[in-house]
Amino acid sequence: MIKFFLFIILLISSILVVLALNDVIVQNIIVFTFSLLLLTHSVFTLRWMLYAWENPRNAKEHASPKVFQMPYYAFTILIPARGEENVIEATIQSMAAVDYPNHLKEVLVLVREDDKLTHLFAESAISWIKDKNIRVVTFGGYPINKPHALNIGLMHAKNEIVVVFDAEDDPHRDILNVANTILLTENPDVIQSGVQLMNYNSRWFSLLNVLEYFFWFKSGLLFFSKVGGTTPLGGNTVFFKKKLLKNAGGWREECLTEDAEIGLRLSLMGATIKVVYDAIHTTREETPIRISDFLKQRTRWNLGFLQVLGYGDWLKLGGIKKKVFSFYILFSPFLQTLVLLSMPLFIRIAFTHKLPFILSFFAFFPLYIFLLQLVTWIFGSIEFTRSYKLKHSLSFPIRLVVTFFFYQLLLAYSSLRAMLKFFSNDFNWEKTYHANSHRSQRLERKIIYEFV
């Protein structure tokens, strides 16, 4: 049904484009419609980007607890890992270093049977650490993706709280104390804590990618939770009550954004979701180090949003506001695709068609908001470095100005790739390569390079 809906929109858009080539009135209508659409989208984006600063009281309410309760809850940490031999050792060491009683902490590294190298490095790290509560769980079967691995982990989890981390994650030592305290004081069913990319100097797009995460986890999640009444979960540093997960049937294995899908499904079941953010306790990750990996990652996310849009569960949410906010998030890949495809037409209109003054004036409004967003990103770079005690470089504003538009093109192109895959039924999981570039100091490798 969703494919038919999107196809009709594309068909109508194509017809209008053809008519606009020679019809002045149609050109004016298209300019007005797209300008209004872009203006609405830009203002809304700017709104959620600045929400945490506009409402410091709400941000403070969702900060990490300052005093921790005595350890009570037992946690099972799930780490899906495929082709992660570059990072898995350091991640296992980071998990072992988390400051929480060992008898209340279990770590399961989920590795496919055919992934010999990741298995080897994981077992060697565990052997060196000598922690009996960290173990590798091997499995087979299909599909070959993260939600399938998580469901395997859910079957093996012994403890009542299940935590998801990615294979390259570097969590804060007190992250389980944070979650334990929130569970004891507020008793939510799900906790979403902060995640932050760190390697802002790796590639030309890395700084923008880092700031995107900064705005999303510091402000965006809080905005959608408090204002929209809906919480799109991130892919890691998420805490679930195991009983609730099992009642929901676990993760949907064919979905490419299993995090967003499970969050929506649990919300429909009446689960309470708590968003918590504090720069001190964020889980640190890395940006993709190659453009190809960045495009694969964003294509997968966009394709997953279209899948969730098609499932239709968001239509069952109570209240029109929740439906609208959920639709906005899930429909965004299609909107970005339309913007990319319409660019040649707008360039042609700009050079060949004289717009009425009022319409021409209105058509520039999205550009003004676009420039305002750029200024916001520049100030965001200052706030990011201050929050994470990093040195702010005078080159940051220049880098942002030079790369901002091209970064938007990357996002739009990944949306187009997702649309093409969606209509061709290509839902294969495109893996992102990780290189450990977010860790300030690589941990020493203490393994024997041989297969057993």
Side-chain angles (χ1 to χ4, degrees):
M1 183 64 183
I2 187 62
K3 285 186 179 180
F4 177 75
F5 171 70
L6 296 179
F7 176 76
I8 291 299
I9 294 179
L10 282 175
L11 180 62
I12 294 174
S13 301
S14 301
I15 293 173
L16 289 175
V17 168
V18 173
L19 292 174
L21 294 177
N22 299 306
D23 194 311
V24 173
I25 295 178
V26 174
Q27 287 183 8
N28 291 344
I29 293 174
I30 290 179
V31 170
F32 174 78
T33 302
F34 270 81
S35 297
L36 181 61
L37 192 65
L38 286 174
L39 180 61
T40 303
H41 174 65
S42 300
V43 170
F44 190 79
T45 300
L46 196 62
R47 177 79 173 88
W48 67 252
M49 287 177 66
L50 297 174
Y51 181 75
W53 288 272
E54 293 175 0
N55 296 271
R57 179 181 296 180
N58 284 332
K60 188 175 181 180
E61 289 176 358
H62 287 259
S64 299
K66 304 304 179 185
V67 179
F68 298 140
Q69 299 283 335
M70 290 293 294
Y72 173 80
Y73 281 96
F75 298 87
T76 292
I77 296 173
L78 304 182
I79 308 176
R82 177 168 176 79
E84 301 289 5
E85 60 274 6
N86 290 320
V87 298
I88 196 61
E89 294 170 282
T91 299
I92 289 173
Q93 292 180 57
S94 294
M95 297 300 167
V98 170
D99 186 16
Y100 203 73
N102 230 27
H103 69 283
L104 297 176
K105 180 178 67 173
E106 174 189 39
V107 180
L108 304 182
V109 185
L110 311 170
V111 183
R112 288 187 62 84
E113 295 168 344
D114 59 348
D115 193 355
K116 303 289 186 182
L117 203 54
T118 301
H119 190 183
L120 171 67
F121 279 76
E123 290 285 10
S124 298
I126 293 170
S127 176
W128 172 58
I129 293 170
K130 294 182 173 60
D131 189 336
K132 294 182 180 179
N133 290 316
I134 304 176
R135 59 192 176 97
V136 175
V137 175
T138 57
F139 62 96
Y142 293 90
I144 304 176
N145 60 20
K146 180 180 176 180
H148 177 62
L150 289 175
N151 281 333
I152 297 296
L154 182 60
M155 291 169 52
H156 287 83
K158 297 178 181 177
N159 297 327
E160 56 190 314
I161 306 297
V162 172
V163 194
V164 177
F165 285 106
D166 286 337
E168 81 279 16
D169 282 355
D170 195 4
H172 191 272
R173 288 173 56 88
D174 284 324
I175 190 63
L176 296 187
N177 283 304
V178 170
N180 175 72
T181 301
I182 293 173
L183 287 165
L184 286 172
T185 56
E186 301 183 44
N187 194 32
D189 297 306
V190 182
I191 300 173
Q192 171 68 70
S193 188
V195 181
Q196 182 57 58
L197 306 180
M198 296 304 299
N199 54 316
Y200 53 87
N201 281 323
S202 295
R203 292 293 185 272
W204 66 264
F205 58 86
S206 297
L207 179 58
L208 283 158
N209 198 189
V210 165
L211 294 177
E212 191 179 13
Y213 264 63
F214 179 65
F215 280 114
W216 180 249
F217 281 95
K218 181 177 176 65
S219 186
L221 279 178
L222 187 60
F223 172 79
F224 283 98
S225 175
K226 298 289 287 187
V227 179
T230 180
T231 308
L233 296 177
N236 68 76
T237 322
V238 191
F239 300 77
F240 301 92
K241 289 184 176 177
K242 184 175 71 173
K243 182 178 180 181
L244 184 67
L245 270 179
K246 290 198 168 185
N247 289 341
W251 287 268
R252 196 163 184 165
E253 295 193 355
E254 78 276 9
C255 186
L256 299 179
T257 49
E258 80 295 332
D259 44 5
E261 195 280 330
I262 191 66
L264 185 59
R265 193 148 39 92
L266 291 178
S267 295
L268 287 172
M269 293 172 60
T272 55
I273 301 176
K274 169 73 175 182
V275 174
V276 57
Y277 178 87
D278 198 313
I280 297 174
H281 297 122
T282 54
T283 295
R284 302 190 176 203
E285 287 190 343
E286 68 176 344
T287 69
I289 62 170
R290 299 179 297 215
I291 289 180
S292 59
D293 283 306
F294 179 83
L295 290 174
K296 287 178 182 178
Q297 183 187 70
R298 288 310 174 96
T299 298
R300 186 176 73 242
W301 294 355
N302 289 326
L303 188 54
F305 284 159
L306 292 173
Q307 281 182 299
V308 178
L309 183 69
Y311 294 154
D313 289 340
W314 59 277
L315 289 169
K316 303 173 187 176
L317 291 169
I320 186 65
K321 185 165 66 172
K322 289 184 179 181
K323 293 182 177 68
V324 170
F325 274 70
S326 298
F327 178 79
Y328 168 79
I329 296 171
L330 301 175
F331 189 71
S332 58
F334 188 82
L335 179 60
Q336 288 181 321
T337 302
L338 281 181
V339 171
L340 181 64
L341 294 178
S342 65
M343 285 182 65
L345 175 64
F346 282 111
I347 293 174
R348 181 182 185 277
I349 291 176
F351 283 99
T352 63
H353 178 56
K354 186 175 181 179
L355 295 171
F357 173 77
I358 296 298
L359 180 57
S360 179
F361 181 75
F362 178 73
F364 272 94
F365 269 62
L367 177 61
Y368 303 147
I369 302 299
F370 180 82
L371 295 175
L372 187 56
Q373 283 186 15
L374 178 56
V375 173
T376 303
W377 284 68
I378 292 173
F379 280 99
S381 68
I382 300 173
E383 186 71 16
F384 163 71
T385 51
R386 181 183 301 162
S387 298
Y388 288 89
K389 296 179 172 56
L390 301 169
K391 184 178 180 180
H392 188 271
S393 172
L394 294 176
S395 67
F396 284 6
I398 299 174
R399 287 171 58 185
L400 290 171
V401 169
V402 171
T403 61
F404 189 69
F405 176 72
F406 296 101
Y407 187 73
Q408 305 306 315
L409 287 181
L410 282 183
L411 296 178
Y413 178 67
S414 66
S415 296
L416 176 60
R417 286 189 77 232
M419 290 294 299
L420 294 175
K421 286 177 172 289
F422 184 70
F423 282 110
S424 61
N425 286 317
D426 180 5
F427 297 103
N428 291 320
W429 188 282
E430 291 186 309
K431 182 165 181 337
T432 305
Y433 173 80
H434 298 123
N436 240 9
S437 55
H438 59 304
R439 290 186 165 104
S440 57
Q441 194 172 12
R442 297 201 181 191
L443 301 178
E444 184 180 355
R445 205 167 246 180
K446 298 177 178 289
I447 70 164
I448 300 174
Y449 291 87
E450 62 181 20
F451 289 97
V452 292

